[in-house]
Amino acid sequence: MIDLYTAATPNGHKVSIALEELGLPYELKVLDLSKHEQKTPAFLAINPNGRIPAIVDREADDFAVFESGAILIYLAEKTGRLMPSDAKGRSLVLQWLMFQMGGIGPMMGQANVFFRYFPEKIPAAIDRYQGECKRLFRVLDGHLADHEYLAGDYSIADIANWAWVRTHRWSGVEVDDLPHLKRWRDAIRARPAAQRGIERPPSRVDLTRDGDAGAQTFAEEARRIVETGQSLSGGKA
């Protein structure tokens, strides 16, 4: 059994999707980020950085793993699935996983901050981060023109990138001109495990579209969290 400490963010959903894909039993422990439950002594003992997600593997002497990318690698290696065992295949998966960790996540997170959360709109900052998101999306689109998935078979690299890319409208970036990215996005969205994973836990606002009734309230709560240094959907949770 695995304890999953999480919240309804792209980084949190990476791990719940992987657990659903792998069919591993897990117990969901949802933290209220607005109440700073991720900063309690009990959770800091699991993740000293005070960010979600984190897991505790009860079958491995209560071994704790934090950082979403590290968790995905741990789960893939634990099960021998969602990542090849050969050196080249493993490297390809890790390259595209790091692409998300170092690029897609941080840039979309910053786009969210400046486009959605900060009360003062700074056009140069919005353009900078939305532009970089679009550039990264074009990289994905170009690669996916010749590949069904990012690194051979469906893998943790696809899960990590998809959990963020699916929320592109929340960052204010459209993908209508990126047909290969859209094909990949829709194919993963159709997977039952991905559908279950993004509901573990469900978000209070639909990050895949504009106009959600709760969007303004959600954005205001996120702004307060960001302003106190507890990033809700920024880059490195």
Side-chain angles (χ1 to χ4, degrees):
M1 176 67 73
I2 288 174
D3 291 338
L4 170 59
Y5 295 83
T6 191
T9 75
N11 285 327
H13 284 149
K14 289 183 209 175
V15 179
S16 53
I17 293 169
L19 287 166
E20 291 290 340
E21 290 281 2
L22 294 168
L24 289 173
Y26 66 100
E27 183 173 340
L28 196 67
K29 297 181 180 293
V30 181
L31 303 186
D32 188 334
L33 305 186
S34 67
K35 295 180 180 177
H36 296 175
E37 290 181 354
Q38 73 278 24
K39 300 299 180 181
T40 62
F43 185 68
L44 290 174
I46 297 169
N47 180 3
N49 196 31
R51 300 284 187 92
I52 61 90
I55 66 169
V56 174
D57 189 347
R58 296 186 194 174
E59 295 177 354
D61 298 321
D62 292 338
F63 183 64
V65 187
F66 64 90
E67 290 291 325
S68 58
I71 297 170
L72 292 179
I73 295 168
Y74 177 82
L75 295 174
E77 292 181 338
K78 176 182 175 72
T79 60
R81 295 172 55 198
L82 295 177
M83 184 170 64
S85 58
D86 66 286
K88 289 183 178 179
R90 185 176 187 275
S91 177
L92 284 174
V93 169
L94 293 180
Q95 288 173 55
W96 286 105
L97 175 61
M98 295 306 116
F99 178 85
Q100 184 277 308
M101 296 294 295
I104 292 287
M107 293 303 102
M108 291 186 71
Q110 291 302 316
N112 293 345
V113 167
F114 288 102
F115 179 64
R116 292 283 182 183
Y117 304 152
F118 273 15
E120 178 186 358
K121 300 306 177 186
I122 307 173
I126 294 172
D127 291 346
R128 154 48 176 162
Y129 290 112
Q130 288 182 339
E132 182 62 5
C133 289
K134 191 60 179 261
R135 185 191 72 79
L136 293 168
F137 289 170
R138 291 193 185 101
V139 172
L140 291 173
D141 186 71
H143 182 71
L144 290 165
D146 300 313
H147 301 83
E148 182 179 7
Y149 295 112
L150 291 176
D153 294 334
Y154 181 72
S155 71
I156 57 173
D158 297 290
I159 292 172
N161 281 277
W162 182 80
W164 277 95
V165 170
R166 66 178 287 272
T167 69
H168 62 89
R169 288 193 179 91
W170 190 252
S171 302
V173 182
E174 289 299 330
V175 299
D176 290 342
D177 58 336
L178 304 175
H180 311 297
L181 183 64
K182 288 175 62 181
R183 184 268 307 162
W184 170 85
R185 177 201 64 187
D186 294 345
I188 296 176
R189 183 168 56 193
R191 296 178 69 91
Q195 294 172 16
R196 293 193 300 270
I198 60 175
E199 290 298 318
R200 303 281 293 166
S203 177
R204 292 185 292 109
V205 60
D206 186 350
L207 299 182
T208 67
R209 64 184 177 87
D210 280 317
D212 188 282
Q216 185 61 38
T217 299
F218 180 88
E220 290 173 358
E221 290 180 2
R223 175 179 57 81
R224 290 194 294 270
I225 293 170
V226 169
E227 287 177 346
T228 57
Q230 327 289 337
S231 178
L232 179 62
S233 59
K236 202 171 183 292

